[in-house]
Amino acid sequence: MNSKEIIESNLNTSTPTNSQQLMQRSLQSVWHPCTQMQHHESVPLIPVTHGRGAWLYDADGKRYLDAISSWWVNLFGHANPRINAALKDQLDKLEHAMLAGFTHEPVIQLSERLSALTGNVLGHCFYASDGASAVEIALKMSFHAWRNLGHSSKQEFVCLQGSYHGETIGALAVTDVSLFRDAYGPMLSANRAHVVMSPDARGAQKGETAADVALRAAHALEMLLQQRGSHIAALIIEPLVQCATGMAMHDPVYLAEVRALCDRYQIHLIFDEIAVGCGRTGTFFASEQAASSDGQAIWPDFVCLSKGISGGYLPLSLVMTRDEIYQAFYDTDVRRGFLHSHSYTGNPLACRAALATLDIFDQDDVLNANRRKAQRITAALQPLAQHQQVQHFRQRGMIWAFDGVMSDAAATTFSRRFFSKALEHELLLRPIGRTVYLMPPYILDDAECDDLAARTAAVFESVIDNA
């Protein structure tokens, strides 16, 4: 039986609802991302027609609290009036122009404002559309910069155990999640990165703190750099939280340690802030929560941003880098230039959405408001944190996560069962394996904060009882 026959057999003999009709049409024509399509024989798609604030609404009028910000992108709610207004204004001016040989006010403003947020340490922005493309750009820039500087032997990269940086070939080469990369191993064999110990605080041995784990991981990194430093171009990490591996959180001291090590061994440091930037971890850049031994701010050589930078409105990604790297490409010889490009690089509409997003951060004092929200949600989640089948309850900024305790057999279907049960509770949550995480938009009111915690606990109780 093919997918069309299966869906038709599951429809009632009465007239199908709007949702059922849209679901059937989608399954016949759309190949959905990060999905084993056969699972939709038992787990129905949810055809969404509109969103308001933190809520999504389906074609039958049911609503769902978007507790994961639609894959971590929607910071200020759906159909946000201020971002809407900025886009409507931009539509009447300029929808797109190529950024090769041309420029425009939105991309200039966005670059200037982001650079200012780093104290102008990272003063040059290169644009793309999605996070994986930003990672590709950073990797290529590092490799090419070293070559231009006369260090052509620096062709290797380092990533953390359990790291995820995207699904294009270069990004997969620095990804250590077997589910994503194993199928493409033959394509990556010539570009495999060194994988070093993760500073994941869940790896603490008896008597160890999160900082102890971070220092132990930094020491393991140094062992590699002593051996291969002259051949390594860059280390790439998600600062503070490795998201796709199950919200693995680490102490900020790790960032200070790796910055010092990269300086010592002349290796570029890439911070993938695609998911953890834009206020998600409590500061605009996650790296702002770390400082060197003399109290100086920690900045990498490259920062990758995407997801929340446009408020969840339009595809936009960018790489910020230092002047010395920019200067490594500045030459009369075109072959020494960075000849990477995307058709929609620096799209004016996407840049206006990003500028409106930055305006909301400023006007609403979002980072301080988020600290108050985080305290309330953390307090409301305490009964769940103390549940006998919950371990490693953790929180960083506007990210919460915990791991369910269950058999391996139950874990294989836990994520799908939890997702389906959550929908019954008007809640959009999509666990990673046995890890349940919350990454809600920043606009929840007090009632929604409490409701989110209560519904999450109810779903977990129901699913874990039937494991």
Side-chain angles (χ1 to χ4, degrees):
M1 185 180 293
N2 62 33
S3 61
K4 178 181 178 180
E5 293 169 334
I6 291 168
I7 296 301
E8 289 178 342
S9 70
N10 287 337
L11 294 176
N12 296 327
T13 54
S14 57
T15 302
T17 66
N18 290 336
S19 283
Q20 288 172 324
Q21 291 174 352
L22 288 171
M23 176 182 68
Q24 182 178 10
R25 289 168 57 196
S26 189
L27 289 175
Q28 290 173 2
S29 59
V30 180
W31 198 336
H32 292 266
C34 202
T35 299
Q36 170 48 263
M37 292 299 294
Q38 191 182 57
H39 290 167
H40 285 306
E41 294 178 9
S42 57
V43 180
L45 288 167
I46 306 298
V48 174
T49 59
H50 64 286
R52 288 289 182 274
W55 298 86
L56 291 168
Y57 295 81
D58 72 15
D60 294 329
K62 298 177 183 177
R63 68 175 191 168
Y64 309 92
L65 181 61
D66 189 355
I68 57 172
S69 300
S70 289
W71 253 349
W72 322 343
V73 302
N74 187 278
L75 302 189
F76 298 118
H78 300 281
N80 183 283
R82 284 182 277 181
I83 302 177
N84 287 357
L87 288 174
K88 290 173 184 176
D89 177 70
Q90 185 62 39
L91 275 170
D92 289 330
K93 295 177 179 177
L94 177 67
E95 83 298 339
H96 184 63
M98 63 186 290
L99 208 60
F102 289 82
T103 193
H104 52 78
E105 185 70 19
V107 77
I108 296 168
Q109 278 194 33
L110 181 57
S111 302
E112 291 172 340
R113 290 180 65 175
L114 288 171
S115 177
L117 290 174
T118 71
N120 298 312
V121 173
L122 304 175
H124 302 275
C125 293
F126 195 101
Y127 289 84
S129 298
D130 58 86
S133 295
V135 170
E136 295 275 339
I137 288 165
L139 296 174
K140 287 176 66 176
M141 272 188 181
S142 174
F143 173 91
H144 198 165
W146 284 124
R147 189 181 73 175
N148 282 355
L149 292 168
H151 300 284
S152 58
S153 63
K154 283 182 168 289
Q155 300 182 11
E156 301 172 9
F157 294 92
V158 183
C159 66
L160 300 184
Q161 184 179 18
S163 61
Y164 172 89
H165 297 289
E167 294 164 42
T168 52
I169 295 300
L172 273 179
V174 290
T175 286
D176 185 49
V177 179
S178 59
L179 178 66
F180 296 108
R181 63 170 294 152
D182 281 1
Y184 311 103
M187 299 175 69
L188 305 172
S189 58
N191 300 300
R192 287 191 180 274
H194 300 283
V195 179
V196 294
M197 173 186 168
S198 168
D200 182 356
R202 292 176 296 179
Q205 298 172 0
K206 186 175 181 180
E208 275 193 323
T209 65
D212 293 330
V213 179
L215 293 173
R216 185 156 52 87
H219 178 72
L221 171 63
E222 184 169 18
M223 296 301 100
L224 171 66
L225 301 189
Q226 287 176 352
Q227 297 174 12
R228 301 297 301 172
S230 62
H231 298 277
I232 292 171
L235 162 70
I236 182 169
I237 62 176
E238 283 183 287
L240 301 186
V241 186
Q242 293 177 252
C243 293
T245 195
M247 302 300 160
M249 300 184 184
H250 61 257
D251 192 279
V253 71
Y254 185 72
L255 306 183
E257 291 293 314
V258 298
R259 176 70 275 180
L261 288 171
C262 287
D263 288 342
R264 187 180 312 155
Y265 291 94
Q266 293 188 293
I267 291 167
H268 290 148
L269 179 57
I270 304 170
F271 280 172
D272 175 353
E273 296 228 10
I274 291 162
V276 299
C278 300
R280 183 55 72 179
T281 61
T283 47
F284 189 84
F285 295 101
S287 61
E288 294 179 80
Q289 297 178 47
S292 63
S293 57
D294 59 359
Q296 297 298 308
I298 296 296
W299 293 109
D301 301 295
F302 303 89
V303 164
C304 301
L305 286 178
S306 189
K307 291 192 181 291
I309 190 61
S310 72
Y313 267 69
L314 288 165
L316 179 66
S317 67
L318 59 105
V319 176
M320 304 177 68
T321 193
R322 297 173 180 264
D323 188 59
E324 48 266 43
I325 291 171
Y326 175 81
Q327 291 298 330
F329 294 90
Y330 202 81
D331 198 276
T332 57
D333 187 346
V334 68
R335 293 170 298 180
R336 291 176 63 87
F338 189 63
L339 305 182
H340 187 103
S341 62
H342 295 268
S343 298
Y344 283 91
T345 292
N347 174 261
L349 285 167
C351 289
R352 277 298 299 274
L355 287 167
T357 297
L358 294 182
D359 286 342
I360 294 173
F361 270 100
D362 292 340
Q363 294 164 8
D364 294 0
D365 193 16
V366 168
L367 296 177
N368 281 323
N370 278 357
R371 292 183 186 106
R372 294 188 291 272
K373 285 186 176 69
Q375 290 174 353
R376 187 180 188 98
I377 294 174
T378 299
L381 286 170
Q382 285 311 296
L384 184 55
Q386 303 302 319
H387 195 287
Q388 62 179 358
Q389 287 183 268
V390 164
Q391 64 179 178
H392 302 306
F393 179 86
R394 52 203 182 274
Q395 177 257 335
R396 173 72 68 174
M398 291 291 284
I399 305 175
W400 292 263
F402 62 87
D403 303 328
V405 178
M406 66 197 78
S407 68
D408 290 342
T412 59
T413 60
F414 174 75
S415 178
R416 293 201 304 277
R417 290 184 290 113
F418 193 102
F419 171 75
S420 297
K421 182 59 67 173
L423 294 177
E424 295 176 17
H425 287 72
E426 296 186 336
L427 192 61
L428 171 54
L429 283 175
R430 187 181 168 105
I432 300 170
R434 66 180 76 207
T435 297
V436 178
Y437 73 91
L438 287 69
M439 292 178 70
Y442 303 160
I443 59 163
L444 300 186
D445 60 27
D446 287 350
E448 288 170 332
C449 289
D450 296 342
D451 200 27
L452 171 60
R455 293 184 190 208
T456 302
V459 173
F460 182 75
E461 284 280 6
S462 176
V463 174
I464 207 72
D465 284 346
N466 292 288

